[in-house]
Amino acid sequence: KFQDIEETHLIHIKEIIGSLSNAIKEIHLQIGQVHEEFINNMANTTVESLIQKFAESKGTGKERP
């Protein structure tokens, strides 16, 4: 009787660990995709475009002081 209870418990624990493992795997894949996108964005970003965005955000260069 106790062995049956323990086997059922271990099967349940094994299923939980399997689900957790799959969730972690999926999260890892998503992080990898975000990382690749970040690398591509950084490769396509120029210093000139960063300076332009900074100037636009601060509103500099539009009017004479």
Side-chain angles (χ1 to χ4, degrees), residues 29-44:
L29 291 174
Q30 291 173 354
I31 289 171
Q33 291 172 350
V34 170
H35 184 240
E36 286 295 322
E37 185 178 332
F38 175 76
I39 289 171
N40 290 336
N41 286 340
M42 290 307 297
N44 294 328

Side-chain angles (χ1 to χ4, degrees), residues 18-29:
S19 295
L20 178 63
S21 177
N22 287 335
I24 291 171
K25 178 182 176 183
E26 186 65 31
I27 290 168
H28 180 70
L29 291 174

